[in-house]
Amino acid sequence: MVGEGRQRIDKWLFFSRAVKSRSLAAKVVVAGRVRINRDKAAQASDLIKPGDVLTITLERRILVWKVLNCGARRGPADEARLLYEDLSPALAPKGEAVPDAVPALREAGSGRPTKRERRQTDRLLGDD
């Protein structure tokens, strides 16, 4: 039934360690968070082949993977990395600003009051 060199998308996501279980992989696909060559995958039984480009949306990240091989089992991470080529854009390291980001401009003292300022206003209002 399955064509030579093709595999179900839910199995492949599980074997490539994109998700933790095959049932979770099926849920991700049915929720519309997986695209195969820019087309939404409609069912967990959709077939993929080497050369397909997958766009996977998971929580706070978007993965763009090119399928290199079909998986045979869920093995160690080193084995799973042989199934795909990561085409995802590089993320900025934590703590570094995005190059195009402009810092927020506000006047000095217009932010949150300090603890000392809050205590002074409480004393002035008589909220001891």
Side-chain angles (χ1 to χ4, degrees), residues 4-85:
E4 197 63 34
R6 293 181 166 261
Q7 189 170 33
R8 288 174 56 115
I9 185 71
D10 62 335
K11 279 180 121 176
W12 191 89
L13 289 172
F14 176 61
F15 292 159
S16 67
R17 293 182 163 262
V19 293
K20 290 186 177 185
S21 68
R22 190 162 163 203
S23 60
L24 183 60
K27 288 178 186 176
V28 168
V29 173
V30 172
R33 297 189 333 216
V34 177
R35 292 181 176 265
I36 304 171
N37 298 326
R38 295 188 178 185
D39 297 324
K40 272 190 183 178
Q43 301 174 3
S45 62
D46 286 350
L47 299 176
I48 59 166
K49 63 186 181 307
D52 286 344
V53 176
L54 304 178
T55 306
I56 308 158
T57 306
L58 299 174
E59 293 180 14
R60 296 182 185 155
R61 57 191 174 143
I62 297 175
L63 305 173
V64 181
W65 287 353
K66 181 177 180 182
V67 178
L68 299 178
N69 293 314
C70 293
R73 68 184 186 115
R74 182 178 170 94
D78 294 334
E79 187 178 311
R81 277 190 222 107
L82 299 175
L83 299 179
Y84 62 88
E85 176 185 348

Side-chain angles (χ1 to χ4, degrees), residues 70 90 98 109 114 121:
C70 293
V98 180
T114 64
T121 56

